């Protein structure tokens, strides 16, 4: 070993040949020029020691005198160096084995059988035992009878042991399991363990609820540290169904992704889907859209049936109470051992499930066949629509051959209040259209017209005599349109009620700006926070002839889509013609979305186009800003066609986000409409008194609200009593866990009106993982291409391992050595002092 090697060994760095660079810095924070200070200290110490030994100490030999001076100077300089805290920064370069990460899909879709099914399996190819997990079959079973997870294990088991050894020697292997929706789980197994049956059954269960490939790649990116692995092998069916898109994360991975596909690329599947309007009106025609999707059955014929039925009638409060009292404390009513078969709670295929509204033999001429079914509901309440198609031979999945959707049928109307100063054209046409429109009707449309004759406002029921409305009357409205009216015409208390109407009760407000009164007048009022735009108080109208332009975000709002296709939609908005004025705004608020904009003018930032129509969520409600009250020009050439569609869809959008009319005073909700067995359900009740002020416990008989949950019929029709906890005034909440699939109904007794308020939801045992059987080969190839990797099928796993680039990675390591805190400095100081002490003793110096 040479001197340099001994030096690095002494400092704790044995790999002297791997040292690439060495830097020295000083850790003392109290000094700015350490080299200068050290040099001055050495000069001062040298001069002082030389004077000391030259004048006050008799040394017979000049050589001995110089030796003592050097030794004393070295010791004192080392002490000064310790105070300056010198630190070496050593950069080491090592050639290490690259990392090889295996990520194996362990979600429920890996329990599917792609080709054929064993006797006793259900239609999904999942054995009924083990809660959805299939036990490993006997050795004599063919590959066609294996689940996807078992086929992966057998593929690893068939690898050549010599090849496995080569991979283990060339790479640092880690194994991860894709089982949850927010990342991956590291496993304590190696490549050899993946071939063992006992290791596989203990580590992989094939019961993960979702395939979140994007979250998995993001988690892998976090786990890589400073040095990414050389390659990642992802074994999956690539049926991504939750979380962030994996393509957006793949570009950040900086590691080639070798995608190994499991499952059939082409499957035989038939599925049906139903799209319903979120709300229907009694005795008014609505359209139910049914889509039949197929793979592998092109040209065949199937029978499509669509049924409609009303949900079960409400029980009386006394019946609810007696049913609840009989089930409270009954362990069976809350036991997780309730029936979990969908057949126990839902009608079997081809059994009657209500009124038949469509039965048609359709030819599967393409991937998707659509049918529009007109339907006129005859009763108010919850409406259940069921669509089903025949099961065909060779189907991989049959649970998606039937689907149940529900909506709500209302027999009352949307209440609209239009506040205006004078009868503008916009006011006239909105009044005429919606006074006779079934969505609103004569009972639903009311207006306050400030310039109207006082006698007309009193005698005509269409007009409000005053805007000083009591709370119990104002909060029954669903949508408020504020037109071209001065701010002084609306009292501050009314403005506060409008703000509360939006933020607390989820109401909708439209600001329809006119040319007479600037929208800047709302800047110093409680309504300012509702506006999607910020307007200076003294803003003046700007005259400018232009054609408004729709923004790309406009297609996300139904009231901005006036035609069934892009061509007709463009023609409808071109019908608006040129707009000759608008009010400029300072800026668009951060949470607002601009839907219609000026083609040239911009806001104060010089980039954002001046908004003409903008939308913004405020609290629980939504506010629409229309920067010109001349949308009535949409009536040109086409009459009410596009005009009614714009305002009708706008009013409908603002109204359906909350309970309508007086029903918003006491509302029961569940946090979702669809659950899976074992999920926790959270119920909330918003309760207000007659004046729409939050209800408190002292206003409730008994001091507590209670809900009664009616379990599905297949569980024996039991009822579970759920106490509701007061979170804050007007807000109550309860929680429970559901197990049995089927339709649940929650009832809450309104203590002020003695009315039963209900909501419903469904629990399904069908997993989202089993709604798509076909492997997503397109996503598999795309991920491999984006990362510079390659795409393989499962039988090609051995070929993949042979083709992996086995180059060693250069790894950089930074080592900091605090010289002042090492044996080197300690030995230097102590050794110098000992040598000096020995020489002084030898020379008999004092």
């Amino acid at each position: 070993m040479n001197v340099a090697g001994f030096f690095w060994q002494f400092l704790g760095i044995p790999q002297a040949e791997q040292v690439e660079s060495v830097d020295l810095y000083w850790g003392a924070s109290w000094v700015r020029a350490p080299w200068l200070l050290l040099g001055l200290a050495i000069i001062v110490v040298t001069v002082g020691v030389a004077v000391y030994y030259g004048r006050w100490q008799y040394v017979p030999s000049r050589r001995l005198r110089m030796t003592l001076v050097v030794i004393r100077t070295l010791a004192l300089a080392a002490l000064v160096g310790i105070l300056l805290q010198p630190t070496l920064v050593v950069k080491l370069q090592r050639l290490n084995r690259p990392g090889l990460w295996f990520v194996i899909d362990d979600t429920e879709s890996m329990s599917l059988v792609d080709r054929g099914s064993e006797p006793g399996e259900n239609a999904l190819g999942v054995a009924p035992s083990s809660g959805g997990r299939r036990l490993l079959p006997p050795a004599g079973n063919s590959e066609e009878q294996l689940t996807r997870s078992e086929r992966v294990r057998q593929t690893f088991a068939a690898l050549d042991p010599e090849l496995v050894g080569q991979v283990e020697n060339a790479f640092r292997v880690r194994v991860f399991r894709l089982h949850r929706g927010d990342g991956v789980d590291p496993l304590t197994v190696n490549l050899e363990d993946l071939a063992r049956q006992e290791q596989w059954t203990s580590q992989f269960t094939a019961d993960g609820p979702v395939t979140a490939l994007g979250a998995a790649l993001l988690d892998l990116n976090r786990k890589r540290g400073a040095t990414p692995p050389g390659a990642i092998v992802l074994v999956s069916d690539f049926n991504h169904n939750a979380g962030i898109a994996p393509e957006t994360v793949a570009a950040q991975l900086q590691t080639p992704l070798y995608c190994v596909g499991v499952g059939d690329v082409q499957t035989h599947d038939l599925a049906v889907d139903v799209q319903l309007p979120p709300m229907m009106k009694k005795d008014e025609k609505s359209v139910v859209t049914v889509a039949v999707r197929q793979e592998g059955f092109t040209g065949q014929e199937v029978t499509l049936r669509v049924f409609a039925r009303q949900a079960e009638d409400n029980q009386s409060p006394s019946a609810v109470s007696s049913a609840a009292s009989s089930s409270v404390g009954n362990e069976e009513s809350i036991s997780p051992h309730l029936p979990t078969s969908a057949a126990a709670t839902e009608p079997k295929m081809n059994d009657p499930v209500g009124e038949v509204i469509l039965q048609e033999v359709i030819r599967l001429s393409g991937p998707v066949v659509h049918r529009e079914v007109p339907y006129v509901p005859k009763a108010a309440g919850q409406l259940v629509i069921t669509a089903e198609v025949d099961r065909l031979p060779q189907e991989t999945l049959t649970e998606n051959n039937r689907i149940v959707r529900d909506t709500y049928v209302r027999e009352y109307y949307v209440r609209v209040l239009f506040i205006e100063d004078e009868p503008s054209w916009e006011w006239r046409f909105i009044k005429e259209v919606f006074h006779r429109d079934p969505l609103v009707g004569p009972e639903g449309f009311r207006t306050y017209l400030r310039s109207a004759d006082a006698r007309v406002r009193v005698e005509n029921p269409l007009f409000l005599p005053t805007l000083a409305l009591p709370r119990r009357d104002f909060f029954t409205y669903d949508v408020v349109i504020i037109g071209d009216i001065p701010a002084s015409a609306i009292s501050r208390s009314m403005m506060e009620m409008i703000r509360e109407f939006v933020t607390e009760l989820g109401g909708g407000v439209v600001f329809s700006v006119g040319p007479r009164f600037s929208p800047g007048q709302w800047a110093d009022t409680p309504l300012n926070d509702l506006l999607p735009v910020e307007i200076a108080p003294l803003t003046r109208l700007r005259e400018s002839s232009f054609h408004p332009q729709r923004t790309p975000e406009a297609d996300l709002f139904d009231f901005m889509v006036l035609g069934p296709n892009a061509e007709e939609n463009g023609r409808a908005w071109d019908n608006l013609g040129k707009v000759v004025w608008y009010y400029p705004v300072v800026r668009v608020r951060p949470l607002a979305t601009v839907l219609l904009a000026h083609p040239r003018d911009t806001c104060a930032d010089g980039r954002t186009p001046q908004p003409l129509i903008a939308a913004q969520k405020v609290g629980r409600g939504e506010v629409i800003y229309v920067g010109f009250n001349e949308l009535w020009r949409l009536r040109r050439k086409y009459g009410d066609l596009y005009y009614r569609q714009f305002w009708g869809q706008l009013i409908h959008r603002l109204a359906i986000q909350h309970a309508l009319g007086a029903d918003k005073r006491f509302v029961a909700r569940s946090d979702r409409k669809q659950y899976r067995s074992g999920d926790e359900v959270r119920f909330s009740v918003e309760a207000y008194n007659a004046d729409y002020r939050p209800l408190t416990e002292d206003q409730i008989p008994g001091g507590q609200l209670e809900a009664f949950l009616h379990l599905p019929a297949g569980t024996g029709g039991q009822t579970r009593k759920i106490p509701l906890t007061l979170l804050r005034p007007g807000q109550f909440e309860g929680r429970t866990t559901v197990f049995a699939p089927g339709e649940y109904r929650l009832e809450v007794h309104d203590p002020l009106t003695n009315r039963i308020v209900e909501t419903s939801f469904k629990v399904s045992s069908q997993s989202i993982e089993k709604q798509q059987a076909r492997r997503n080969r397109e996503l598999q190839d795309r991920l491999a291409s984006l990362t510079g990797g390659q795409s393989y099928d499962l039988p090609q796993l051995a070929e993949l391992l042979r083709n992996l680039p086995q180059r060693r990675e250069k790894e950089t390591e930074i080592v900091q050595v605090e010289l002042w805190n090492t044996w080197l400095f300690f030995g230097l100081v102590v050794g110098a002092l000992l040598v000096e002490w020995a020489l002084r003793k030898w020379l008999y110096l004092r």
Side-chain angles (χ1 to χ4, degrees):
M1 181 182 295
N2 54 22
V3 177
F6 178 80
F7 175 75
W8 294 119
Q9 184 81 25
F10 187 79
L11 294 181
I13 304 176
Q15 301 91 354
E17 69 279 0
Q18 297 175 354
V19 175
E20 180 180 301
S21 63
V22 179
D23 292 320
L24 178 67
Y25 77 94
W26 307 88
S29 58
W30 52 272
V31 60
R32 293 187 178 182
W35 286 109
L36 178 62
L37 181 60
L38 182 62
L40 290 175
I42 291 174
I43 293 174
V44 171
V45 168
T46 303
V47 172
V49 171
V51 171
Y52 172 75
Y53 276 107
R55 291 192 174 186
W56 290 289
Q57 295 289 328
Y58 171 74
V59 180
S61 169
R62 183 177 179 183
R63 181 176 297 177
L64 286 174
R65 186 185 304 114
M66 292 300 297
T67 301
L68 289 171
V69 170
V70 170
I71 293 173
R72 176 66 68 89
T73 301
L74 189 63
L76 294 178
L79 291 176
V80 174
I82 290 175
L83 295 177
L84 297 177
Q85 299 179 7
T87 302
L88 283 180
V89 179
V90 183
K91 183 182 292 186
L92 304 175
Q93 289 283 359
R94 296 195 179 107
L95 293 176
N96 291 330
R97 291 181 302 162
L100 177 60
W101 292 1
F102 287 89
V103 182
I104 300 178
D105 192 343
D106 193 38
T107 58
E108 286 187 71
S109 62
M110 296 297 286
S111 66
L112 295 179
V113 176
D114 290 296
R115 302 181 183 90
S117 298
E118 294 182 29
E121 290 180 342
N122 57 23
L124 289 174
V126 182
S129 62
S130 306
R133 283 185 56 192
R134 258 186 44 158
L135 300 178
L136 286 175
N141 286 358
S142 64
E143 180 180 327
E144 285 76 11
Q145 297 171 327
L146 300 178
T147 66
R148 293 175 178 175
S149 183
E150 293 161 0
R151 290 175 56 203
V152 173
R153 187 198 67 80
Q154 284 205 353
T155 302
F156 276 100
L159 291 175
D160 183 3
E162 184 178 349
L163 174 62
V164 172
Q166 292 175 358
V167 173
E168 290 280 6
N169 292 330
F171 299 93
R172 292 172 293 162
V173 176
R174 294 185 66 186
V175 181
F176 299 88
R177 180 177 70 147
L178 174 58
H179 184 264
R180 51 192 175 93
D182 58 349
V184 294
D185 298 320
L187 302 180
T188 56
V189 296
N190 55 30
L191 190 56
E192 294 180 356
D193 294 332
L194 292 180
R196 299 173 185 167
Q197 177 169 318
E198 62 277 3
Q199 286 284 355
W200 191 270
T201 53
S202 63
Q203 300 282 355
F204 297 95
T205 56
D207 60 357
V210 293
T211 302
L213 293 177
L217 296 180
L218 200 61
D219 194 22
L220 291 171
N221 199 32
R222 289 192 293 263
K223 293 179 185 300
R224 71 178 188 177
T227 305
I232 297 177
V233 178
L234 176 57
V235 183
S236 174
D237 56 19
F238 295 92
N239 281 324
H240 172 77
N241 51 38
I244 185 173
E247 295 93 333
T248 61
V249 187
Q252 310 170 12
L253 205 55
Q254 299 181 7
T255 300
L257 200 61
Y258 293 87
C259 300
V260 179
V262 185
D264 288 343
V265 177
Q266 293 294 334
T267 60
H268 291 77
D269 189 31
L270 191 62
V272 64
D273 193 13
V274 172
Q275 293 182 355
L276 296 175
M279 179 184 68
M280 292 185 180
K281 190 173 181 183
K282 180 184 173 183
D283 297 325
E284 182 179 334
K285 185 175 74 173
S286 299
V287 175
V288 177
T289 303
V290 182
V292 179
R293 296 178 171 84
Q294 62 87 19
E295 287 184 276
F297 295 114
T298 302
Q300 298 193 32
E301 293 183 346
V302 295
T303 301
L304 170 65
R305 288 172 293 273
V306 183
F307 307 90
R309 66 179 175 89
Q310 294 293 319
E312 297 179 5
D313 295 335
N314 298 343
Q315 299 181 26
S316 64
S318 60
V320 172
S321 300
S322 77
S325 61
S326 65
S327 63
V328 172
N330 186 348
E331 293 297 331
E332 294 182 359
S333 67
I334 58 176
S335 171
H337 303 295
L338 293 172
T340 57
S341 170
T345 57
E346 295 184 2
K348 296 181 179 179
M349 190 73 74
N350 299 326
D351 286 349
V353 285
E355 173 193 0
V356 179
I357 61 176
L358 176 70
Q359 182 164 337
E360 179 185 351
V361 177
I362 62 174
R363 184 175 181 82
L364 302 175
S365 57
V368 183
V369 178
H370 292 278
R371 287 292 183 271
E372 291 188 349
V373 186
Y375 179 67
V376 180
K378 299 299 182 183
Q382 186 183 10
L383 178 69
V384 179
I385 301 293
T386 303
E388 66 180 27
V389 291
D390 293 333
R391 294 173 179 168
L392 297 179
Q394 300 178 344
E395 273 197 80
T396 306
L397 294 175
T398 57
E399 288 189 358
N400 52 13
N401 286 38
R402 161 178 289 197
I403 191 167
V404 180
R405 291 283 186 264
D406 66 331
T407 186
Y408 203 83
V409 179
R410 305 184 185 276
E411 61 180 342
Y412 44 81
Y413 39 82
V414 175
R415 291 171 168 85
V416 178
L417 173 60
F418 198 146
I419 304 173
E420 184 61 278
D421 184 64
E422 290 186 347
S424 63
W425 287 110
E426 202 80 272
W427 178 86
R428 293 176 187 270
F429 289 122
I430 288 180
K431 176 177 67 68
E432 290 180 10
V433 168
F434 291 102
H435 188 262
R436 62 178 186 269
D437 189 278
L439 177 68
V440 180
E443 297 297 326
F445 187 86
R446 292 292 181 269
T447 182
Y448 173 76
L449 191 64
R450 182 167 173 261
S451 63
D453 185 84
R455 185 171 55 186
V456 172
R457 286 190 291 184
V458 172
E459 296 177 354
N460 192 331
L462 182 68
F463 292 83
L464 293 180
T466 178
L467 264 185
L469 296 175
R471 290 177 61 90
R472 65 180 59 192
D473 293 338
F474 173 74
F475 284 111
T476 60
Y477 287 100
D478 303 305
V479 178
V480 176
I481 304 175
I482 301 176
D484 194 13
I485 189 169
S488 58
I490 304 178
S491 66
R492 194 167 188 86
S493 61
M494 182 66 177
M495 293 182 186
E496 293 288 355
M497 281 201 301
I498 293 175
R499 183 167 64 178
E500 184 181 351
F501 168 73
V502 176
T503 58
E504 299 297 329
L505 289 157
V509 170
V510 181
F511 286 91
S512 180
V513 176
R516 298 181 62 231
F517 301 102
S518 167
Q521 65 179 329
W522 307 112
D524 298 325
T525 71
L527 299 183
N528 179 60
D529 294 338
L530 301 182
L531 285 167
V533 295
E534 184 178 311
I535 308 176
L538 301 178
T539 298
R540 294 186 178 182
L541 179 147
R542 181 178 294 175
E543 294 184 354
S544 172
S545 180
F546 61 92
H547 285 283
Q549 291 185 348
R550 295 171 69 252
T551 65
E553 293 78 13
D555 290 336
L556 302 177
F557 292 74
D558 52 0
F559 60 86
M560 296 296 294
V561 181
L562 304 183
N565 53 58
E567 181 181 356
E568 184 174 339
N569 190 40
R571 184 166 61 248
W573 283 103
D574 289 342
N575 189 51
L576 186 64
K578 285 188 176 182
V579 176
V580 296
W581 63 270
Y582 77 100
Y583 279 99
V585 307
V586 177
R587 66 182 182 95
V588 178
R589 296 196 189 273
L591 298 180
T593 303
V594 177
L595 310 178
L596 195 71
H598 197 286
R600 301 179 302 273
D601 295 356
T602 58
C603 298
D605 60 4
R607 300 187 307 272
T608 306
Q610 282 286 344
L612 302 175
I613 298 180
Q616 175 179 253
K617 284 281 189 180
V618 182
R620 296 181 52 203
E622 189 171 17
V623 178
I624 307 296
Y625 169 81
V626 182
F628 59 103
N629 63 352
E630 295 192 3
L631 285 168
W632 55 269
R633 297 180 184 275
L634 289 171
R635 302 180 74 257
R636 187 179 53 156
K637 298 182 184 179
Y638 302 102
D640 290 340
L641 175 62
Y642 298 129
Y643 187 74
R644 181 198 182 281
Q645 188 167 351
F646 175 86
W647 282 104
Q649 292 182 155
L650 174 57
I651 291 172
H652 184 266
R653 175 188 175 90
L654 297 179
I656 65 171
Q657 301 185 49
H658 57 268
L660 296 184
D663 282 353
K664 64 171 71 74
R665 193 193 61 75
F666 196 91
V667 183
R669 292 187 178 92
S670 58
D671 56 339
R672 301 203 308 267
K673 283 297 183 183
Q674 296 283 342
Y675 298 89
R676 288 191 59 202
S677 297
D679 285 350
E680 183 184 60
V681 182
R682 187 179 68 186
F683 307 108
S684 63
V685 174
E686 299 173 38
Y688 299 86
N689 62 19
D691 288 328
Y692 287 85
R693 300 191 184 279
L695 204 63
T696 55
E697 289 180 328
D698 57 355
Q699 298 173 289
I700 302 172
Q704 186 180 36
L705 280 181
E706 292 179 336
F708 300 97
L709 181 64
H710 297 275
L711 277 62
T715 63
Q718 296 168 339
T719 301
R720 189 184 305 176
K721 184 178 179 181
I722 303 173
L724 299 174
T725 305
L726 179 68
L727 298 180
R728 56 187 174 89
Q731 297 289 326
F732 298 82
E733 185 180 276
R735 298 169 184 262
T736 189
T737 303
V738 292
F739 297 97
E743 182 179 325
Y744 288 71
R745 185 160 47 89
L746 181 81
E747 295 182 347
V748 186
H749 177 245
D750 185 346
L752 299 186
T753 63
N754 291 323
R755 185 171 60 95
I756 295 295
V757 176
E758 73 168 34
T759 185
S760 63
F761 60 90
K762 285 185 173 59
V763 176
S764 172
S765 60
Q766 180 181 1
S767 166
I768 188 175
E769 282 287 294
K770 296 173 182 175
Q771 295 178 5
Q772 173 63 40
R774 181 177 65 87
R775 189 215 313 178
N776 191 341
R777 182 58 183 264
E778 295 78 12
L779 179 59
Q780 173 187 341
D781 295 341
R782 193 158 57 246
L783 291 179
S785 175
L786 287 173
T787 58
Q790 294 183 15
S791 182
Y792 293 85
D793 290 332
L794 183 60
Q796 299 174 302
L797 180 61
E799 179 185 347
L800 182 158
L801 296 179
R802 291 190 184 94
N803 294 337
L804 284 174
Q806 299 185 10
R807 59 179 180 273
R808 289 185 173 270
E809 297 176 343
K810 182 180 287 187
E811 186 178 78
T812 300
E813 181 182 0
I814 305 296
V815 179
Q816 291 188 2
V817 181
E818 296 176 335
L819 292 177
W820 60 273
N821 197 24
T822 63
W823 285 98
L824 178 67
F825 262 65
F826 179 78
L828 181 64
V829 174
V830 173
L833 292 177
L834 286 175
V835 171
E836 184 189 14
W837 175 80
L839 286 175
R840 290 175 62 84
K841 285 293 184 181
W842 181 60
L843 294 173
Y844 299 101
L845 297 179
R846 291 179 299 172

